[in-house]
Amino acid sequence: MLKGAHCFWSMRTQLVAKVFDGGEIKEGEDKRGEVTQEIRIPIDTGIAGRVATTAFKLAPIASAETEHVFSTMGEFVTPQRRNLSFDSLKQYVIINWIKSLLYRKVQQAQKKILLTNELMLYHMKNLSVDEVTALLSEERQNVCEKWPGIDTFRFNVRLTIPYCETVRCVLNMFHELGFIHRWNLDMDTLVQFSLTVKQGYRDCVSYHNWWHAFSVAHFFYLICKNCAHSVASQLSELESFVTFVACLCHDIDHRGTNNSFEINSKSTLASLYSSQGSVMERHHFAQTVAILNSGSCNIFSTLADNQFKQALDILQNNILATDLAHHFKIMGQLKDMSENGYRPDDEKHHELLLCLIMTSCDLSDQTKDWNNLLEVAESLYEEFFNQGDLEREMGGQPNEMMDRHRAHIPEQQISFLDNVALPCFSLLSNLLPDTSEALQEVELNRRRWQVVKNEVGDKPIMVKGKLDIRHLDVDKLLEKEEEDKTDFKTAVSENQDNSNSSQVTANSKH
């Protein structure tokens, strides 16, 4: 106890202390890997024994110099320690006792977390042997041959590629982007990693599931294919490789609720991560690391030690970047970089560009056609409304976007596009000009939502989980709107010409 040690009873006849400075200690070693110092004293000896046997019922001691509990401590109490005031020493002993109890609670919590991770990995490791074997036996092929147009921004993976083919497509993208060859990836490890990540997403979550992860990874594949020269000159090979992995893992084990809900509900995840911010994103990263720590899934095992550490840093930064709160914080820096030019030799610019790419990939559903957008909106609002229902059950009042009775979807979508998606893809287009096609589709979808808003007004459009606007031929309405605008401009121009002509005639007569 006098050395700030973790102290416990041994068969109730001895006090045993292992000296430590805090943190988790392996049996027989301290946190530096050295053998811990162990102190054993009889239970009825010294100050620690007095505290232990009297359960803190300490009688007043007039003099520490003459008190027998000090004199029986032998080598553990020096003359200097005897000269300490007893009140100070008593407080010191009690504080260390409490520290000992807290340390044990920390150890128990660490073991619970370890057990939870083991349980999660156990369930995710129940991979189909037949599926693993089938994927390993196939030759990797160019995805463009199997899915023509998959390398274009207009390609819609959700409505084109069967769910059962998604992992196979991921493996082929790894191959086509050169990651397997460049990093000497073991195919058995890569297959198990990909399948384990897929199983790490919850099927009961309507939007933030494996389909979303697959779509996000596909958009980064599109960036690499369509902006190959820019990406090669602006990002390192390791950054590109890890970013593709981050896209696959960025929402793993999402529960269908956002950070605010986790914090307000005082969930287990909030208790672990709320002090650091980005609760769900930190959980996604932790789950990804848990998968990588499994020997059969560690696709980073072929990296050198310094590359491995760098890869984990990139992975963490990229996953945390998908928190929109983080995106808004760095928006000013992104605008400055866009206006003043990207500097490949600036480490901060690398980090900012990766953050922007991750946010763009995360929002990439907004770059697809109208049918895809309706599917996504239905899934997303089902998730939002489920959270709103939970908040109401807890006695709270969900905000309008999460409230199935108050949500005005067209208006909210327009606001989201104006304030989040359009600025994001505009910056991406400035830095990677070959992504301009994606920006144009976002702009078009913004106009489509405006047409819907004009048609439905304030009427609720979500009925039994489906958007009740599919009967609207939005593109035809948009085309008619454009024609009306053109006719109006023509009429205004003709009136102006007639007015000018009349004025000229009048001046001529005068």
Side-chain angles (χ1 to χ4, degrees):
M1 292 289 285
L2 290 172
K3 293 193 176 185
H6 175 46
C7 189
F8 56 91
W9 292 14
S10 176
M11 302 298 290
R12 295 191 178 276
T13 61
Q14 290 182 314
L15 284 174
V16 181
K18 291 184 177 181
V19 179
F20 72 105
D21 294 321
E24 185 178 8
I25 301 176
K26 296 180 180 179
E27 188 67 28
E29 295 184 351
D30 67 7
K31 62 182 181 180
R32 295 174 299 276
E34 301 170 355
V35 177
T36 53
Q37 179 182 353
E38 187 175 275
I39 300 174
R40 291 177 176 267
I41 58 176
I43 190 66
D44 59 351
T45 302
I47 302 169
R50 177 71 170 268
V51 173
T53 55
T54 61
F56 294 100
K57 295 178 181 178
L58 299 176
I61 295 177
S63 172
E65 184 70 31
T66 59
E67 177 58 33
H68 76 280
V69 297
F70 287 88
S71 61
T72 57
M73 282 294 292
E75 61 176 309
F76 299 113
V77 178
T78 65
Q80 290 78 10
R81 287 183 179 134
R82 291 194 186 98
N83 290 332
L84 293 172
S85 69
F86 182 73
D87 285 342
S88 298
L89 189 56
K90 179 172 66 174
Q91 293 174 12
Y92 175 75
V93 170
I94 293 173
I95 288 172
N96 276 280
W97 184 279
I98 295 172
K99 183 179 179 182
S100 171
L101 297 177
L102 290 175
Y103 176 68
R104 179 160 292 183
K105 287 183 178 179
V106 169
Q107 284 185 314
Q108 290 173 343
Q110 289 173 335
K111 290 176 181 177
K112 287 179 181 178
I113 293 172
L114 181 62
L115 183 62
T116 301
N117 285 338
E118 288 177 350
L119 184 63
M120 181 271 297
L121 283 173
Y122 170 78
H123 287 291
M124 289 200 299
K125 278 183 178 178
N126 290 328
L127 305 178
S128 166
V129 176
D130 292 340
E131 188 173 10
V132 173
T133 303
L135 289 170
L136 285 173
S137 63
E138 294 176 357
E139 289 187 10
R140 302 279 70 82
Q141 65 180 108
N142 189 308
V143 290
C144 295
E145 296 176 0
K146 187 172 181 63
W147 307 106
I150 195 175
D151 57 347
T152 63
F153 283 106
R154 291 184 179 274
F155 188 84
N156 190 336
V157 292
R158 289 178 180 269
L159 302 181
T160 308
I161 299 180
Y163 187 78
C164 61
E165 291 282 332
T166 52
V167 172
R168 182 173 287 102
C169 187
V170 165
L171 296 174
N172 286 330
M173 285 191 287
F174 266 109
H175 170 71
E176 192 174 331
L177 293 175
F179 298 145
I180 295 176
H181 174 74
R182 172 62 183 86
W183 302 106
N184 194 27
L185 301 182
D186 177 70
M187 281 309 303
D188 184 40
T189 302
L190 182 59
V191 167
Q192 293 200 54
F193 170 82
S194 302
L195 289 171
T196 303
V197 169
K198 175 176 175 285
Q199 289 191 201
Y201 284 87
R202 302 187 178 203
D203 294 334
C204 60
V205 176
S206 59
Y207 177 72
H208 289 99
N209 49 37
W210 170 246
W211 262 125
H212 171 62
F214 177 62
S215 300
V216 171
H218 173 253
F219 193 80
F220 183 68
Y221 163 82
L222 292 177
I223 290 176
C224 292
K225 293 292 288 184
N226 290 274
C227 314
H229 178 72
S230 298
V231 170
S233 63
Q234 296 180 2
L235 299 178
S236 69
E237 291 179 311
L238 184 63
E239 287 171 333
S240 295
F241 169 46
V242 177
T243 299
F244 187 70
V245 174
C247 287
L248 291 169
C249 302
H250 80 283
D251 270 332
I252 194 167
D253 195 40
H254 200 290
R255 281 87 190 286
T257 51
N258 60 20
N259 288 333
S260 296
F261 178 86
E262 296 296 328
I263 294 171
N264 294 335
S265 64
K266 297 181 173 59
S267 69
T268 302
L269 292 181
S271 66
L272 286 172
Y273 304 117
S274 61
S275 62
Q276 301 168 287
S278 302
V279 173
M280 289 305 302
E281 289 73 22
R282 292 187 186 279
H283 175 61
H284 304 322
F285 173 68
Q287 297 301 93
T288 303
V289 171
I291 293 173
L292 290 171
N293 280 338
S294 171
S296 61
C297 295
N298 187 4
I299 59 173
F300 291 166
S301 62
T302 58
L303 302 179
D305 289 345
N306 62 323
Q307 291 175 327
F308 183 83
K309 182 180 182 304
Q310 187 181 358
L312 289 182
D313 289 340
I314 297 169
L315 185 67
Q316 181 178 33
N317 290 337
N318 284 359
I319 292 177
L320 294 181
T322 58
D323 183 357
L324 283 178
H326 175 271
H327 175 69
F328 292 136
K329 285 180 183 178
I330 64 171
M331 197 62 182
Q333 298 176 66
L334 290 172
K335 288 179 179 178
D336 289 342
M337 182 175 70
S338 175
E339 292 170 0
N340 299 322
Y342 178 85
R343 296 191 299 273
D345 58 341
D346 188 329
E347 186 175 332
K348 184 62 178 178
H349 275 205
H350 277 250
E351 182 181 333
L352 288 170
L353 180 58
L354 287 173
C355 289
L356 178 62
I357 287 175
M358 286 299 300
T359 303
S360 302
C361 292
D362 201 18
L363 304 179
S364 60
D365 277 316
Q366 303 299 324
T367 70
K368 305 304 178 183
D369 61 47
W370 183 241
N371 288 330
N372 179 85
L373 210 58
L374 293 182
E375 294 279 350
V376 167
E378 288 174 350
S379 300
L380 187 60
Y381 274 93
E382 180 184 348
E383 193 172 297
F384 284 170
F385 292 161
N386 287 339
Q387 175 178 318
D389 294 342
L390 288 174
E391 290 174 335
R392 191 175 282 106
E393 289 174 8
M394 295 164 55
Q397 177 62 41
N399 65 44
E400 185 177 299
M401 184 171 61
M402 305 288 181
D403 193 330
R404 65 176 70 250
H405 306 298
R406 297 187 298 138
H408 187 207
I409 295 176
E411 184 175 312
Q412 290 166 0
Q413 287 299 299
I414 291 170
S415 176
F416 175 77
L417 291 169
D418 285 343
N419 297 298
V420 183
L422 281 170
C424 175
F425 285 100
S426 178
L427 287 170
L428 185 71
S429 179
N430 288 341
L431 292 163
L432 300 174
D434 290 321
T435 64
S436 59
E437 183 181 348
L439 173 62
Q440 293 168 9
E441 195 66 25
V442 178
E443 292 171 338
L444 178 58
N445 284 328
R446 197 269 185 215
R447 291 162 56 204
R448 285 166 170 158
W449 278 116
Q450 185 64 56
V451 168
V452 173
K453 180 184 176 182
N454 295 340
E455 289 292 319
V456 303
D458 295 330
K459 185 180 71 174
I461 61 172
M462 186 71 88
V463 180
K464 295 182 180 180
K466 296 293 182 181
L467 288 172
D468 188 24
I469 55 175
R470 292 181 181 275
H471 62 284
L472 296 175
D473 190 338
V474 175
D475 286 340
K476 188 173 182 179
L477 290 170
L478 188 60
E479 184 179 338
K480 184 178 184 304
E481 187 179 280
E482 291 300 314
E483 289 176 356
D484 292 342
K485 286 181 180 179
T486 302
D487 292 342
F488 177 76
K489 289 180 181 179
T490 301
V492 170
S493 177
E494 288 176 352
N495 287 337
Q496 185 66 41
D497 290 342
N498 291 335
S499 176
N500 292 338
S501 177
S502 299
Q503 185 65 37
V504 170
T505 301
N507 291 338
S508 175
K509 289 181 178 181
H510 179 72

